[in-house]
Amino acid sequence: MSAPERIPPRSVTPPPDAAGLLARGELTVRGRIREASNAALYCTVSHDGEDAACIYKPVAGERPLWDFPDGTLAQREVAAYEVSEATGWGLVPPTVLREGPYGEGMCQLWVEVTPEAELLALVDGEEPEPGWKAVGFAEVGEGRTALLVHADDERLRRLAVLDAVINNADRKGGHLLPTGEGRLYGIDHGVTFNAENKLRTLLWGWAGEALTEEAVEVLEGLRKGLAEGGPLAARLEPLITGAEIDATRARVGALLASGTHPEPSGEWPAIPWPPV
């Protein structure tokens, strides 16, 4: 199957019940996203006169990883969506687990991005300009280094908190999707929720800084939802293991106890490779 010659234009506004459409609609494969490390199929989904574009990642197309159980990446993508919804921030596009042409898999609403939006940059100098946060120095060839920075953007800051909660081991620049409506989505959450600390991200600009009041309030809500018998815990139980839910509770508790954004542990590469 080849990549689609041209992805048709889509509305950036999700359907009113996008998750329901993804779960119940007829899924038609249109092409394959060649750049993806696991099988990622570009599809359309239709139901009762409504249709949308989406990405379908069948479990059968997942590449085995040494530190994540085989056949669990699709469930982790859905679990990340459930946590995102529980925050009220809506940082992950609607995502469901469903049967498709190649078996069970993750199905996620396709998001139309705004290419002009600049969230990451490489700059000369040792300090970021106002409006930017430093990540670290990167080699750019011919013995030169540049400072990697990301925007000092409240949407990115919320995503940094979400990543700390779900223990995202792969927050790359290409996983950030700004839209023309001012929304920001994060995608590709297959390597999340490990019980061991795996946080690896480009969003270290707030490391060690105090959490915002909004973030603290959201984390308190997550703590309640993740409690034994809580609604979020119930939604996560079919998707990740009990030990991974316990670890998620512990991460939320640690964030609230410290009151700060986490810092790199030094036990695990802090920045994903390649970073974009």
Side-chain angles (χ1 to χ4, degrees):
M1 183 180 301
S2 62
E5 292 183 5
R6 179 179 179 273
I7 295 175
R10 300 166 299 281
S11 169
V12 296
T13 304
D17 182 18
L21 175 61
L22 293 172
R24 296 187 294 270
E26 180 181 356
L27 199 60
T28 303
V29 176
R30 304 296 185 184
R32 181 170 183 172
I33 309 300
R34 292 186 180 277
E35 296 82 5
S37 56
N38 296 292
L41 306 176
Y42 173 75
C43 303
T44 53
V45 61
S46 303
H47 182 72
D48 275 354
E50 247 187 339
D51 63 280
C54 60
I55 292 294
Y56 161 53
K57 296 182 181 179
V59 172
E62 293 179 4
R63 184 178 62 183
L65 299 172
W66 68 270
D67 52 350
F68 286 84
D70 292 351
T72 67
L73 305 191
Q75 291 93 323
R76 295 171 193 277
E77 295 240 31
V78 179
Y81 168 69
E82 293 291 354
V83 175
S84 168
E85 288 299 283
T87 67
W89 286 333
L91 295 169
V92 178
T95 312
V96 302
L97 195 68
R98 59 162 292 168
E99 285 293 322
Y102 299 100
E104 185 179 59
M106 179 279 282
C107 190
Q108 184 175 82
L109 190 71
W110 180 271
V111 173
E112 186 72 42
V113 301
T114 303
E116 310 85 55
E118 191 173 19
L119 299 174
L120 297 163
L122 285 167
V123 298
D124 294 324
E126 297 188 357
E127 296 293 334
E129 296 289 330
W132 295 88
K133 305 290 284 187
V135 179
F137 289 95
E139 293 185 10
V140 293
E142 299 181 355
R144 292 181 57 247
T145 61
L147 184 64
L148 176 63
V149 298
H150 65 66
D152 188 2
D153 185 310
E154 69 173 9
R155 301 169 302 169
L156 287 180
R157 192 165 190 172
R158 290 169 177 170
L159 195 58
V161 174
L162 177 67
D163 283 344
V165 170
I166 67 177
N167 198 15
N168 192 351
D170 195 32
R171 174 61 72 205
K172 296 177 180 176
H175 300 167
L176 304 173
L177 305 184
T179 76
E181 296 178 328
R183 296 285 301 272
L184 176 70
Y185 292 102
I187 61 168
D188 283 354
H189 297 108
V191 287
T192 50
F193 295 100
N194 199 296
E196 299 180 8
N197 181 15
K198 300 279 187 180
L199 185 59
R200 192 166 58 167
T201 176
L202 288 178
L203 304 181
W204 287 116
W206 297 281
E209 293 187 17
L211 295 165
T212 64
E213 291 183 9
E214 177 195 48
V216 171
E217 183 178 345
V218 163
L219 290 166
E220 290 285 8
L222 289 181
R223 178 152 63 181
K224 293 176 183 177
L226 287 166
E228 294 284 351
L232 180 55
R235 290 196 293 275
L236 294 181
E237 282 173 3
L239 302 170
I240 58 178
T241 68
E244 289 166 341
I245 294 175
D246 287 341
T248 305
R249 292 188 185 108
R251 288 191 295 272
V252 170
L255 287 166
L256 286 168
S258 71
T260 61
H261 287 267
E263 299 182 75
S265 67
E267 301 173 356
W268 176 255
I271 296 176
W273 187 261
V276 178

